[in-house]
Amino acid sequence: MEWTSEAEAEIRKVPFFVRKKVKARVERDAAEEGKKRVTIDEVIATRNRFLKNMASEIKGYQVDTCFSRGACPHRANDAGRLAERIETLLKQADILNFLKAAVGEGLKFHHELRVAIAECPNACAQPQVKDIGIIGACVPEITDVECSDCGVCVEVCKDDAVHLDDKGLQPVIDPGACLLCGECAKVCPTGTITEGQKAWRVMLGGKLGRHPRLARELPALFNDDQVVDIVNRCITFYKNNSPEGKRFAELYTGPADIGMN
């Protein structure tokens, strides 16, 4: 659909991580009114309609995933099935009615429990600032295959976590610097570095707003079942400790809160 320059300028004011969704909403509203061109009037009308009916848009939780889920060349793990399981779990928890009872008429989007799943450490879904953040991990493994000393693994690593040993016979990976993106394994031409365990990093308690805070990572890697269990523990803790609809991030103090010491 055609957009005027004024309308485009207005939509650029929307945060980038929700801009595509907002733009689609504006175009949908315009199409329903039989319009083939979006002007500033359509943008403002959609915004006003949204603000007026905000309560009807709230579902109690948000699950954000990578925009190019399943197709990104940087993917360290596949979030498809995990995202579906977490979405189902949150629906079953009936968080919306819990929040309605806790908050009442003043329910707004910032009350929702927020989960973000990113398939790689680039973290486009912003898991570091969500109540529950999940990041794909691919553990690189060194095999017995002789290294060709090409240095591609060193070049591709953005975190300076890979170097070749003094004799140039094997790559060495610094576990303290490695973010488990798996890029070195993808480019290794000899198979000296291969993709090992695929899992998830989990971080809890992040938020934006007046008092922002980065989520804190649990000290382990987790498979799909374990991540779902952690999310379930977080939901239970949240519902038991948020009588006034406080954000999970405002309540969470550490792994012991969810029974993980």
Side-chain angles (χ1 to χ4, degrees), residues 50-257:
F50 171 77
L51 292 174
K52 182 179 179 180
N53 300 310
M54 183 183 297
S56 65
E57 301 275 349
I58 296 172
K59 62 179 182 179
Y61 63 87
Q62 297 178 18
V63 179
D64 297 326
T65 58
C66 300
F67 173 69
S68 58
R69 194 175 77 193
C72 179
H74 301 297
R75 180 177 60 175
N77 203 349
D78 187 346
R81 178 60 181 145
L82 178 62
E84 292 174 3
R85 293 179 64 184
I86 290 175
E87 183 92 23
T88 298
L89 183 63
L90 290 163
K91 285 181 181 178
Q92 293 172 344
D94 197 15
I95 295 174
L96 177 58
N97 282 323
F98 161 74
L99 286 174
K100 284 181 177 179
V103 180
E105 295 298 324
L107 188 61
K108 294 181 171 60
F109 280 111
H110 68 260
H111 289 111
E112 292 187 313
L113 184 66
R114 300 179 182 181
V115 181
I117 309 173
E119 293 185 324
C120 80
N122 289 339
C124 297
Q126 299 186 312
Q128 296 91 342
V129 291
K130 301 297 171 62
D131 297 305
I132 303 171
I134 302 161
I135 299 178
C138 177
V139 181
E141 290 187 353
I142 308 298
T143 70
D144 294 331
V145 178
E146 185 176 352
C147 175
S148 65
D149 197 22
C150 68
V152 176
C153 58
V154 177
E155 294 174 6
V156 79
C157 182
K158 298 177 181 179
D159 305 294
D160 296 325
V162 186
H163 68 273
L164 301 179
D165 65 16
D166 294 337
K167 298 180 180 179
L169 299 177
Q170 289 285 25
V172 178
I173 298 174
D174 179 357
C178 179
L179 291 183
L180 308 178
C181 66
E183 292 290 340
C184 56
K186 293 175 185 175
V187 300
C188 180
T190 58
T192 305
I193 306 178
T194 61
E195 294 183 344
Q197 176 191 11
K198 291 199 172 186
W200 302 98
R201 297 161 54 200
V202 177
M203 44 192 62
L204 304 175
K207 68 186 184 79
L208 293 175
R210 292 169 66 92
H211 302 285
R213 183 176 69 190
L214 290 176
R216 287 160 286 179
E217 187 166 348
L218 296 176
L221 293 177
F222 305 94
N223 61 33
D224 284 23
D225 291 340
Q226 291 169 324
V227 171
V228 172
D229 176 65
I230 291 170
V231 174
N232 191 41
R233 288 168 181 259
C234 290
I235 292 170
T236 300
F237 169 77
Y238 176 58
K239 294 176 74 172
N240 288 340
N241 293 276
S242 183
E244 298 176 355
K246 281 190 176 182
R247 286 280 302 272
F248 174 89
E250 296 173 336
L251 303 167
Y252 178 77
T253 62
D257 289 341

